[in-house]
Amino acid sequence: MTANEVGTAEARAMRRALELAALGPATGVNPRVGCVLLAPDGRVLAEGWHRGAGTPHAEVDALSKLPAGSARGATAVVTLEPCNHTGRTGPCSEALIAAGVGRVVYAVADPGRRSSGGAARLASAGVEVESGVLADEVEAFLADWLFTARHGRPFVTVKWAATLDGRTAAADGTSQWITGPAARADVHRRRSQADAIGVGTGTLLADDPSLTARTADGALLEAQPVPVVFGRRPVPAEAAVTRHPHPPILLDGADLASDLGQLAGRGIRSLFLEGGPTLASAFLAAGLVDELLVYLAPALLGGPRLAVGDLGIGTIADALRFDFAAVERLGDDLLVVATPVQGGASRARTSTTEGN
Ligand code: AOF
Ligand code: ZN
């Protein structure tokens, strides 16, 4: 084959590897990974994919379909850099070397602190390594897992629904139906796309939210986020959240970064925070918010009940700054999506959800 034909065969194999990866489970601590083994003439020798933590990795799955010795000189095309560690399974770098694979082509580097280094290990054993093939597509496909692996925490979205003056409740505490049905449906759709949904114990005790994702007539959507309750006050035995399809995860909220690390360790890659001004301000002040979803109703309430509590900001120069990433009209309401300006909203401060 000419170099061009090899490139085409490998690009085609990477596309196939991405399809194979998509057969794996979309949630959990491990990424979805696919692998295609090519003979030197470009023929497909075997395919494999990863079926979730504790099962063989994609490369090992593909190798297992071949008789011993028949991957000698083959090219392994894999969506993620082969791992270089013994976790629940052994290192793929060593499995590829032992099988005599001559070339490895991967899309995206493994950001894992323990698992990375496979490319260097392969190269040191004389295996030819190429990276970056179909990288943008694989990066998009693995976006939530890569974010969590790179940051050691889930992607955090803070959502609130408010009036034009940023109020989320009236003087008597009533807060339901600030926004209309289209905005509410949008919230439920986004909830169901998140791995977890978080509230503070303050909101839990005040509103008794069910933390489920539902249709307009109250039926449960298929995918439900895991409920997470932050704070030190106990969850009442009769709280609605105890009837959620997933058992709630309780975190004390004293060290939000370490709480988020715990969630990441449980395979939670995205957290949707709906849980009140104290929780929102604690996450914001700690620089742990990646996206704001603000549903704005064309109404005014006045008074002190604001969407976000104290941020410890004494002067305008310290304002947390965001960019408007999107603005959408939803019925009579607006959805504003805002993302932190680099070095602005991500300024880390220490804070807790104490009192929440
Ligand atoms: C690969 N191929 O198919 C997958 C990889 O606990 P373990 O042994 O399953 O290791 C999990 C880590 O290995 C995971 O966090 C990620 O860095 C990598 N996953 N690597 O070469 C695969 N699933
Ligand atoms: Zn591996």
Side-chain angles (χ1 to χ4, degrees):
M1 285 205 296
T2 65
N4 235 341
E5 286 165 343
V6 170
T8 308
E10 290 177 356
R12 201 180 310 122
M14 187 63 88
R15 213 159 262 301
R16 176 65 186 149
L18 185 52
E19 275 174 30
L20 293 164
L23 299 174
T27 56
V29 289
N30 275 10
R32 293 191 284 174
V33 182
C35 175
V36 174
L37 294 171
L38 295 177
D41 66 2
R43 238 176 345 112
V44 174
L45 291 172
E47 300 181 334
W49 71 94
H50 181 57
R51 291 164 180 77
T55 70
H57 288 185
E59 303 89 319
V60 170
D61 183 48
L63 287 170
S64 75
K65 291 170 187 163
L66 292 177
S70 48
R72 202 150 291 286
T75 294
V77 177
V78 54
T79 52
L80 186 68
E81 177 189 7
C83 72
N84 194 40
H85 79 312
T86 300
R88 296 168 194 87
T89 65
C92 291
S93 52
E94 302 303 338
L96 292 164
I97 292 163
V101 165
R103 176 170 159 81
V104 170
V105 178
Y106 67 90
V108 173
D110 185 335
R113 240 180 308 120
R114 285 184 297 273
S115 51
S116 64
R121 169 67 189 119
L122 287 161
S124 79
V127 178
E128 210 178 289
V129 180
E130 187 179 328
S131 65
V133 175
L134 221 65
D136 290 352
E137 269 153 273
V138 173
E139 180 79 30
F141 172 75
L142 283 180
D144 60 347
W145 182 81
L146 287 169
F147 181 94
T148 305
R150 287 173 184 150
H151 299 269
R153 64 172 178 83
F155 184 92
V156 175
T157 298
V158 172
K159 168 259 162 181
W160 64 77
T163 54
L164 288 176
D165 53 342
R167 266 66 184 185
T168 56
D172 65 354
T174 49
S175 63
Q176 279 206 306
W177 320 140
I178 288 178
T179 49
R184 286 203 297 277
D186 191 71
V187 170
H188 282 278
R189 189 177 54 75
R190 288 176 190 267
R191 273 187 185 179
S192 101
Q193 287 168 353
D195 287 342
I197 177 169
V199 290
T201 44
T203 297
L204 185 97
L205 294 169
D207 297 349
D208 194 24
S210 66
L211 303 183
T212 51
R214 302 180 299 279
T215 63
D217 47 24
L220 292 184
L221 294 175
E222 197 176 304
Q224 292 294 328
V226 173
V228 180
V229 181
F230 293 90
R232 259 159 284 178
R233 283 184 275 170
V235 173
E238 68 282 6
V241 72
T242 61
R243 295 186 294 279
H244 192 284
H246 299 295
I249 297 176
L250 311 178
L251 296 168
D252 72 8
D255 179 344
L256 294 177
S258 100
D259 286 350
L260 291 181
Q262 276 192 50
L263 293 178
R266 297 173 75 147
I268 288 170
R269 306 172 187 178
S270 55
L271 174 65
F272 201 74
L273 288 176
E274 288 199 53
T278 312
L279 192 72
S281 52
F283 274 86
L284 284 163
L288 293 171
V289 175
D290 303 298
E291 179 184 67
L292 297 180
L293 295 180
V294 180
Y295 294 86
L296 273 182
L300 297 172
L301 279 169
R305 293 175 189 261
L306 292 162
V308 178
D310 185 32
L311 291 171
I313 293 171
T315 186
I316 194 74
D318 288 345
L320 301 187
R321 298 281 177 183
F322 293 80
D323 289 312
F324 288 140
V327 180
E328 234 178 280
R329 180 147 193 149
L330 295 167
D332 293 335
D333 307 310
L334 287 184
L335 166 61
V336 176
V337 182
T339 50
V341 171
Q342 277 316 318
S346 56
R347 236 169 348 100
R349 288 219 193 81
T350 44
S351 172
T352 71
T353 55
E354 219 156 350
N356 190 55

